[in-house]
Amino acid sequence: MNPLSIARSEFILGGQKSGKSRRAEGLAAAWLARSPHHRAVLIATAEAHDDEMRARIARHQRERAERVPGLATLEAPRDLPAAIARAGGAETLRIVDCLTLWLTQQLMPLEDFESNQPSAPDWQARTAMLLKAIESCPGPIVLVGNEIGLGVIPLGREVRAFVDALGTLNQQMAVTCERVTLMAAGLPLTLKNTQGAME
C-alpha cells in the first residue's frame, strides 16, 4: 500500500513528537497534488492561553505554511462537528489536529478554572456528534490524536479520568475511521485499513 494513499477517513495516533502531524500534512500535500480542484483545510483545536502557547502556535503555522503552502487553517477549538461541515465539499481534505486538545477543552474548560465553578459538560454527547460529522463528511478527513495510555498510571483522580476518557475517544475513532495509523519515531504502522484509496 502506498503510505500516502488517501482513505475516506484516517485516524493517526501516537506519542508526542512521533510524526503524527507530519503524516497528516503529507496526506494533505498528496491530496493537493492530485488535482487543481482539490483543497485542504487544517481544523486547529489549540487555544493560546499564555505566551508560550502563542509562540508555539505561531511557529507551527510558519512551519506548516512552508511544508504545505496550499493548506488553509480553520480555528475550531470547541465545535468540531460544525467546523467539519463548513470546511468544504467533496474536493476538500480536512485535517483535525488534534483530538486530544479538543477533549481537554471539553473536560477541563479554562473558564471553569477561572471562575472556580466546575461544570460537567456531556463530552460523550459531543463525541457522538463528532462521530456523526466524520461519517457524513463529504470529503476525506484525517484526525490526529495522542496515545498517552502506555506509561505509568497517574496518581491524580482527574488525570486518571482524563486518560480513561481519551482511551475511550481513541477507541471510538478507531471504530469509525476506515484507516488507523500508529506513529512511532516518524514511522507509520497501519493498524486498520478497510477501504481503498480515494482519488
Side-chain angles (χ1 to χ4, degrees):
M1 179 186 68
N2 177 354
L4 291 180
S5 64
I6 312 295
R8 196 197 72 75
S9 56
E10 179 166 350
F11 178 39
I12 304 171
L13 74 163
Q16 194 79 358
K17 291 297 180 184
S18 61
K20 304 181 300 296
S21 295
R22 287 292 181 97
R23 175 172 172 83
E25 290 171 6
L27 292 168
W31 177 255
L32 290 169
R34 288 187 182 183
S35 168
H37 304 294
H38 282 178
R39 295 178 60 246
V41 176
L42 181 128
I43 302 173
T45 62
E47 288 185 298
H49 295 297
D50 56 47
D51 290 340
E52 187 274 337
M53 192 61 174
R54 277 187 282 275
R56 179 182 290 260
I57 290 171
R59 185 181 75 249
H60 286 176
Q61 289 171 338
R62 285 193 308 271
E63 293 172 352
R64 195 164 54 238
E66 292 172 4
R67 289 191 296 265
V68 192
L71 182 60
T73 300
L74 173 62
E75 294 185 7
R78 305 296 173 107
D79 194 353
L80 272 183
I84 289 168
R86 73 173 184 266
E91 79 290 346
T92 301
L93 179 142
R94 296 150 177 82
I95 298 173
V96 174
D97 196 352
C98 76
L99 290 173
T100 311
L101 282 175
W102 175 79
L103 180 64
T104 301
Q105 287 150 188
Q106 304 303 308
L107 293 176
M108 297 174 277
L110 183 64
E111 55 267 21
D112 288 352
F113 289 104
E114 292 173 344
S115 67
N116 270 338
Q117 307 243 335
S119 65
D122 188 354
W123 68 271
Q124 293 97 334
R126 295 178 188 182
T127 298
M129 292 171 60
L130 176 58
L131 295 172
K132 287 180 183 175
I134 294 166
E135 290 172 343
S136 61
C137 184
I141 184 166
V142 179
L143 303 113
V144 178
N146 290 82
E147 173 53 74
I148 64 171
L150 299 175
V152 297
I153 297 173
L155 292 175
R157 177 176 60 86
E158 292 84 1
V159 181
R160 284 195 300 272
F162 178 78
V163 172
D164 288 347
L166 182 60
T168 299
L169 176 65
N170 286 349
Q171 290 186 47
Q172 292 172 313
M173 289 296 153
V175 169
T176 300
C177 292
E178 294 177 350
R179 181 182 297 155
V180 180
T181 303
L182 176 66
M183 296 298 300
L187 300 174
L189 174 64
T190 301
L191 303 180
K192 173 185 175 183
N193 189 27
T194 58
Q195 186 205 10
M198 292 187 71
E199 294 301 325

